[in-house]
Amino acid sequence: DILTFIENHMQKQNFEIEKAKSSRFDKQKYAPLETSEEGTPRSYGRYILITSFVILTLSLIIYLITIPTITVHVIIHSHMDLGWLYTYDEYYRGKDKYCASCIYENIVKMLDEHKEMTYTISEIAYFERWWNEKNNTSLKEKFLEQFKAGRIEFLNGGWASNDEACTYYEDIIDQFSLGHLWLEKHFGVYPHIGWQIDPFGHSSAHASLMAQAGMTDLFLGRMDEQERISRRQEKALDFIWKPFSPRKENINGHILFTDYFEIGRASCR
């Protein structure tokens, strides 16, 4: 409608200009008009310029007012493999750029400096060791203060972030039980959000186990990039997963916009 209005308005102005051109030599009806080098009356040219500017400005304002609001959620976390390039102990104490124990201490300090920040923990194996070995009482008290304020949250809560393709279901249940029981004992919480962002592929059986464990939502990271792109276009990154199971339980599925390690795009590490 705006474009149609502008087009009709411009056509009307062009008609007035042509009328003025044809009649400016009629001494009896019109006084001579000052014209530009192109033969267009200067007053009409300025009028068209100002009118067009006003219309375009109003159009931009209307567009900005009606544009849909997009909410971006930035989830700060650290994914910690229990075994990848180095051993569990090397990862914990620090080797090269990896140091699990350093991360927890740095996070407490960062949250203390930046009151708007939050942090999530998903693997319990490293955290349990850090919590039991940490003798700095003030640091642990600060951690508890941030946790009670809702600025530190436990997701997934398994001893590790297990693979979904090759693991046996009893092992999956055991490792989740170990992590969840420890969290319940020391922090009085039971995670209800699944955070499987690094496994290469996701199985219906694993989704069923998480639903049976009381998980309400499951976030997924790695997947075939063509499917991710297709889901972006179809706005299908969020879905209800109905695992193949006689129990017929459902779980809310969420796919990250990009892989979690793609710094500078939609996720951060």
Side-chain angles (χ1 to χ4, degrees), residues 2 11 19 26 28 31 37 40 44 59-60 69-70 92 95 103 110 116 161 173 177-178 181 219 221 257:
I2 292 176
Q11 289 177 353
K19 180 180 178 182
D26 190 340
Q28 297 178 355
E37 295 179 358
T40 303
Y44 282 103
S59 301
L60 179 61
T69 301
I70 299 176
Y92 177 77
K95 185 170 182 179
I103 290 175
M110 287 183 63
E116 75 283 359
S161 178
I173 294 173
S177 298
L178 184 62
L181 289 173
F219 285 81
F257 191 82

Side-chain angles (χ1 to χ4, degrees), residues 60-226:
L60 179 61
I61 293 173
I62 294 173
Y63 172 76
L64 293 176
I65 292 175
T66 58
I67 191 172
T69 301
I70 299 176
T71 302
V72 178
H73 298 274
V74 179
I75 303 173
I76 302 176
H77 77 289
S78 298
H79 172 66
M80 303 180 186
D81 287 311
L82 269 65
W84 181 36
L85 300 176
Y86 307 116
T87 66
Y88 165 80
D89 192 65
E90 288 173 330
Y91 272 129
Y92 177 77
R93 297 192 179 279
K95 185 170 182 179
D96 293 339
K97 61 181 180 180
Y98 304 101
C99 178
S101 60
C102 303
I103 290 175
Y104 298 125
E105 296 188 17
N106 291 334
I107 282 297
V108 173
K109 297 175 183 177
M110 287 183 63
L111 292 181
D112 194 39
E113 295 174 1
H114 305 280
K115 303 301 183 182
E116 75 283 359
M117 285 181 59
T118 60
Y119 182 70
T120 59
I121 298 174
S122 55
E123 295 87 8
I124 304 304
Y126 290 119
F127 178 75
E128 180 268 348
R129 180 174 175 177
W130 178 80
W131 187 258
N132 291 335
E133 291 183 358
K134 183 51 58 181
N135 296 320
N136 189 334
T137 306
S138 61
L139 191 66
K140 294 177 74 171
E141 289 177 352
K142 182 64 68 174
F143 182 95
L144 283 173
E145 178 184 332
Q146 295 167 349
F147 167 74
K148 291 178 181 179
R151 299 180 60 207
I152 296 178
E153 185 177 3
F154 293 97
L155 307 179
N156 227 41
W159 204 246
S161 178
N162 62 269
D163 177 71
E164 298 185 26
C166 301
T167 45
Y168 191 52
Y169 77 95
E170 285 186 354
D171 298 324
I172 296 175
I173 294 173
D174 287 345
Q175 75 94 13
F176 267 105
S177 298
L178 184 62
H180 287 185
L181 289 173
W182 190 88
L183 285 175
E184 186 176 25
K185 177 181 178 180
H186 291 83
F187 290 88
V189 296
Y190 187 95
H192 293 284
I193 305 297
W195 189 253
Q196 290 288 98
I197 60 168
D198 198 45
F200 291 81
H202 305 282
S203 69
S204 179
H206 192 274
S208 176
L209 289 175
M210 299 196 81
Q212 293 178 54
M215 298 285 187
T216 59
D217 296 79
L218 175 57
F219 285 81
L220 311 175
R222 295 185 184 272
M223 66 182 310
D224 180 76
E225 194 60 24
Q226 295 303 314

Side-chain angles (χ1 to χ4, degrees), residues 219-254:
F219 285 81
L220 311 175
R222 295 185 184 272
M223 66 182 310
D224 180 76
E225 194 60 24
Q226 295 303 314
E227 181 176 354
R228 190 194 305 274
I229 293 173
S230 175
R231 284 181 174 273
R232 284 182 199 159
Q233 297 172 344
E234 298 173 3
K235 301 186 184 303
L237 292 174
D238 299 317
F239 59 97
I240 297 177
W241 195 344
K242 299 181 179 181
F244 181 75
S245 169
R247 294 177 177 271
K248 301 186 182 303
E249 62 280 313
N250 299 332
I251 190 168
N252 298 319
H254 311 276

Side-chain angles (χ1 to χ4, degrees), residues 20-36 39-44:
K21 285 182 179 180
S22 62
S23 60
R24 69 175 179 269
F25 299 108
D26 190 340
K27 303 296 184 178
Q28 297 178 355
K29 295 183 179 180
Y30 297 94
L33 296 175
E34 182 184 1
T35 60
S36 63
T40 303
R42 294 186 184 276
S43 57
Y44 282 103

